[in-house]
Amino acid sequence: MGVFNRMSLIFRSKANKAMDKMEDPRETLDYSYTKQLELLQKVRRGVADVATSRKRVELQISRLQTESDKLHGQAQKALAVSREDLAREALTRRSGLEQQIGDLATQHAALQAEEEKLTLAAQRLQARVEAFRTKKETIKATYTAAEAQTRITEAVSGISEELGDVGTAVQRAEDRTAEMQARAGAVDELLASGALEDVTGTAKDDITLELERLASTNDVELELTKMKAQLGAGPSASAPAIEASDESAADPAATPKSEGNPA
Amino acid sequence: MIIRILGEGQYKIDAAQLADLNELDNAVEHAISVGDTTEFREALSRLLTEIHEKGTPLAVDVFVESDLVLPAADATLDEVREYLSDEGLLPG
């Protein structure tokens, strides 16, 4: 098996390098055990790091989703007051956000897969480390120079390969997480830049302002209509004289108002 | 014969199965040499499936070196190339 003979040689030579340093073979056992415990710590930290990244992406998805829902609501409000242009703008922004959300969902799935793999690696290594500790003590207790070298070499080589394996998995998870964190950082920047200011509820975006302006203009119009109706329903006998004298002044004031209000 | 699948652990495989595995391994090697990602993924997946089916996982308290080390099922072509190009560790 061409390619994979080479791979096993690579892992083996790494293991042997560490063992060549020891004079007493029993030291090799302890040294290897220390390395195993170190790696176990590292894998556990790796799991925690990936989980942190995953949670960060979850938070971002939920913030973007809130913003997307809000834009959807704005589009509906805008249509209700016949402002298709505003509705279109809101939906266009929303479609951009939906793309981001989709991208983040993919990242989230990748991080989750990485987290599961590392969790499994940690469990597997933990079991191996415990078994190795037992074996190590057994070998030490029954130590006779003649047979020890072989048994120690075998056990340490076996576990060293495992350390290489798990170490590679941790490295891989770290690389991938770093990649995702860079991308998550970009989303955080977007969220903080003001392009989506409104997500945090600290400022109002232009669509909201326009809808509020329309709503308050509508309120004013309603109020005016009501007032006019009340005036019209009042005593009519003396009214014509007042209306007639006021007509020239009242009309210019009313005209620009109705022109300025397209709704 | 002992085979390790990275990220999974070790399997014991009967030497009689080796001919089949060799064929599958050649397919993986070919995919790597021509840089065909699709072919690589398929060939590696077939090779690992064969080991899962025919092999027996080693017990947790057995510490032996593997005769072969295989990449994880989701390893990319580039990752495998990287393993193989590890400086100074290649034989010859």
Side-chain angles (χ1 to χ4, degrees):
Chain A
M1 301 186 90
V3 173
F4 301 119
N5 267 331
R6 279 193 280 160
M7 263 182 75
S8 52
L9 283 170
I10 289 162
F11 275 81
R12 192 164 307 164
S13 77
K14 275 180 181 164
N16 290 340
K17 257 190 217 164
M19 291 213 305
D20 289 344
K21 289 180 196 156
M22 305 297 152
E23 287 195 358
D24 183 339
R26 282 173 293 184
E27 271 179 49
T28 317
L29 288 172
D30 292 328
Y31 175 78
S32 173
Y33 185 63
T34 309
K35 288 280 150 202
Q36 292 162 37
L37 292 179
E38 280 173 17
L39 183 61
L40 196 52
Q41 284 294 319
K42 205 176 165 192
V43 182
R44 287 181 179 147
R45 267 203 307 276
V47 173
D49 286 348
V50 177
T52 305
S53 291
R54 172 180 56 77
K55 285 176 198 152
R56 182 180 182 191
V57 171
E58 270 165 24
L59 191 67
Q60 289 181 332
I61 290 176
S62 118
R63 288 173 76 185
L64 290 177
Q65 193 60 57
T66 306
E67 176 69 6
S68 169
D69 292 347
K70 202 196 71 189
L71 284 166
H72 187 257
Q74 286 179 337
Q76 279 176 328
K77 277 185 206 157
L79 268 189
V81 291
S82 308
R83 285 293 304 273
E84 197 177 320
D85 57 329
L86 271 184
R88 189 178 299 278
E89 175 63 25
L91 289 179
T92 305
R93 289 184 199 177
R94 182 169 182 266
S95 119
L97 286 186
E98 287 296 317
Q99 270 179 7
Q100 291 252 13
I101 292 171
D103 186 40
L104 285 175
T106 310
Q107 286 187 44
H108 184 260
L111 284 171
Q112 213 160 24
E114 216 55 54
E115 192 178 338
E116 276 161 25
K117 262 189 279 173
L118 272 193
T119 306
L120 278 178
Q123 284 166 0
R124 189 162 58 97
L125 186 60
Q126 162 117 42
R128 293 288 268 169
V129 169
E130 275 163 21
F132 186 89
R133 189 171 54 87
T134 310
K135 184 137 201 150
K136 172 170 86 83
E137 295 313 319
T138 313
I139 293 176
K140 277 180 167 181
T142 60
Y143 181 79
T144 59
E147 60 151 7
Q149 185 67 59
T150 323
R151 290 179 67 196
I152 290 172
T153 305
E154 191 186 82
V156 172
S157 303
I159 194 75
S160 295
E161 189 185 287
E162 188 100 28
L163 298 186
D165 180 351
V166 176
T168 308
V170 177
Q171 187 57 50
R172 199 168 171 223
E174 274 174 4
D175 291 350
R176 292 193 175 176
T177 309
E179 242 173 68
M180 308 241 178
Q181 284 197 323
R183 293 165 81 186
V187 175
D188 276 344
E189 263 170 42
L190 175 72
L191 284 166
S193 69
L196 299 173
E197 251 172 6
D198 197 31
V199 174
T200 58
T202 52
K204 284 175 181 165
D205 62 83
D206 50 352
I207 295 179
T208 303
L209 287 173
E210 178 67 7
L211 283 173
E212 282 181 0
R213 198 186 62 74
L214 285 174
S216 71
T217 310
N218 271 353
D219 288 346
V220 170
E221 288 308 312
L222 262 172
E223 202 68 20
L224 280 174
T225 311
K226 262 194 235 164
M227 286 178 172
K228 279 179 189 163
Q230 277 169 353
L231 280 176
S236 52
S238 58
I242 301 168
E243 268 179 27
S245 66
D246 272 0
E247 206 163 19
S248 55
D251 263 355
T255 313
K257 188 174 284 170
S258 58
E259 272 174 0
N261 175 23
Chain B
M1 169 159 211
I2 307 295
I3 298 180
R4 173 181 295 277
I5 300 176
L6 292 179
E8 281 188 39
Q10 291 166 297
Y11 294 84
K12 192 179 171 68
I13 291 250
D14 199 82
Q17 315 280 4
L18 268 187
D20 287 350
L21 290 179
N22 261 321
E23 219 169 278
L24 294 171
D25 172 57
N26 287 340
V28 178
E29 188 161 10
H30 178 259
I32 294 172
S33 66
V34 298
D36 186 329
T37 311
T38 318
E39 189 190 324
F40 167 75
R41 195 127 302 288
E42 265 174 39
L44 181 61
S45 158
R46 265 187 292 146
L47 178 60
L48 298 185
T49 306
E50 185 81 359
I51 292 166
H52 289 150
E53 281 173 7
K54 308 235 162 107
T56 323
L58 279 197
V60 76
D61 60 349
V62 176
F63 297 97
V64 285
E65 271 187 335
S66 309
D67 300 294
L68 288 177
V69 175
L70 301 182
D74 64 347
T76 65
L77 195 53
D78 286 340
E79 276 170 334
V80 173
R81 282 212 176 108
E82 213 174 296
Y83 293 140
L84 296 173
S85 69
D86 217 340
E87 223 190 318
L89 292 172
L90 278 178

